[in-house]
Amino acid sequence: MSDWHDELELALLPLEDLRVDSVYMTFVISNALSERGIFHQCRIGYAEDRLSRMTTAPHCWIELEQGWCIDLRLRQWLGDEDDLPHGVFQPTNYPRARYQGTALVVPHLDVEDLRAMTNDAYSKVKLPWLAGQAAAA
């Protein structure tokens, strides 16, 4: 994992314990990424555990550039096992899981709403700057 992806995963930790579904989590993370101008695509569809054949639907996740993904909810539904993805990851590193979905448009939410929705956990999310992004800011 790159240093930036490691930092991103650590920055999202305050959201990990929220008792919310994948749609809600995707809305919160997408808004944080948008605040930093980080390109991403939200997806909605399903995720399948190829081993157990269990699926979760609807399921939402976020795709970043270069094939990276963010999903903090898959293990909630398919099991807390190391060979299922969680956090910031490359899906190719987790062949046991299969994602299938289409683009999801996420509404822009203001910071006060995001803080209220997350019991103030949103204010603890401090996303890292992308290389080159800090110079442009």
Side-chain angles (χ1 to χ4, degrees):
M1 189 181 298
S2 76
D3 288 344
W4 184 81
H5 292 100
D6 281 339
E7 289 178 43
L8 176 59
E9 185 167 277
L10 287 173
L12 296 174
L13 283 178
L15 302 175
E16 202 169 37
D17 292 332
L18 292 177
R19 301 311 245 171
V20 299
D21 64 22
S22 65
V23 176
Y24 190 98
M25 184 66 77
T26 297
F27 283 11
V28 172
I29 295 171
S30 176
N31 274 268
L33 294 170
S34 292
E35 278 182 22
R36 285 284 186 164
I38 298 169
F39 179 79
H40 64 284
Q41 174 66 64
C42 299
R43 309 288 283 172
I44 185 167
Y46 70 90
E48 177 188 17
D49 178 344
R50 290 179 169 151
L51 183 63
S52 71
R53 295 291 186 212
M54 288 179 52
T55 61
T56 179
H59 187 73
C60 296
W61 64 97
I62 295 174
E63 294 179 355
L64 301 169
E65 292 181 307
Q66 300 175 342
W68 290 89
C69 289
I70 302 172
D71 189 344
L72 298 180
R73 284 295 164 258
L74 186 65
R75 289 184 183 179
Q76 175 182 348
W77 302 111
L78 299 184
D80 191 13
E81 299 182 37
D82 290 341
D83 55 350
L84 290 172
H86 181 80
V88 180
F89 60 92
Q90 283 278 357
T92 55
N93 293 337
Y94 295 91
R96 181 175 165 182
R98 181 169 75 101
Y99 287 87
Q100 184 69 42
T102 60
L104 171 67
V105 177
V106 172
H108 171 75
L109 303 169
D110 63 41
V111 174
E112 293 79 24
D113 289 340
L114 289 162
R115 290 178 64 189
M117 291 167 55
T118 62
N119 198 23
D120 206 36
Y122 189 79
S123 65
K124 297 177 179 93
V125 174
K126 306 294 183 210
L127 296 185
W129 289 102
L130 275 171
Q133 191 179 30

